[in-house]
Amino acid sequence: MRLRRVWSFFWFKCGKILAPLMRRQMASIATWPAFGITAETAEKLKKISPATIDRRLREDRQTMRLKGKSLTKPQASLKSRIPVRAFYSREERQTPGFWQTDTVHHPGRPPAASTC
């Protein structure tokens, strides 16, 4: 499945992050023989919705899911007050004042798959 190859290339991102990445990068990805993407497949992958991506990759995500206790504590009070976006354009990232943070506990093992 071509979607799995693209998904692994982008480090197992969730659908709402992967869809914009594929739309922006499909022209260059389709030229790489390792992906084996035809023009027809490239057009379909550019139009696929984030929800469809997540549905098609559900089984793969479940097999790669880490099992165990998470050490990250949810902060409901902060979560409701801070707007969170999953994708930023290059221009937004280069503007002064842009700040991004990671609130995930890293116990030493890299995760097998990212989640949203």
Side-chain angles (χ1 to χ4, degrees):
M1 180 177 181
R2 308 289 185 244
L3 179 59
R4 282 191 193 115
R5 288 183 187 169
V6 174
W7 179 56
S8 66
F9 176 75
F10 284 114
W11 288 79
F12 311 105
K13 301 291 183 195
C14 66
K16 62 183 172 178
I17 295 174
L18 184 60
L21 287 173
M22 285 194 314
R23 288 185 190 108
R24 285 182 151 197
Q25 302 296 324
M26 190 52 63
S28 61
I29 289 173
T31 62
W32 296 359
F35 289 108
I37 296 175
T38 63
E40 180 184 341
T41 306
E43 285 304 311
K44 287 181 180 178
L45 288 174
K46 283 171 39 175
K47 293 177 183 177
I48 193 169
S49 73
T52 304
I53 291 172
D54 288 335
R55 273 195 308 274
R56 297 239 174 131
L57 297 172
R58 183 178 294 142
E59 289 180 21
D60 297 311
R61 281 188 189 280
Q62 289 175 350
T63 59
M64 296 177 69
R65 198 180 76 166
L66 290 175
K67 317 265 186 305
K69 184 176 180 179
S70 170
L71 299 176
T72 304
K73 307 267 188 289
Q75 295 291 327
S77 62
L78 285 177
K79 220 173 171 182
S80 64
R81 288 187 276 170
I82 301 173
V84 176
R85 285 177 39 198
F87 183 77
Y88 292 89
S89 69
R90 178 177 294 214
E91 294 80 24
E92 288 175 312
R93 284 181 277 155
Q94 291 176 345
T95 57
F98 178 82
W99 183 58
Q100 188 172 4
T101 186
D102 182 9
T103 60
V104 178
H105 177 75
H106 297 281
R109 252 181 22 189
S114 68
T115 58
C116 288

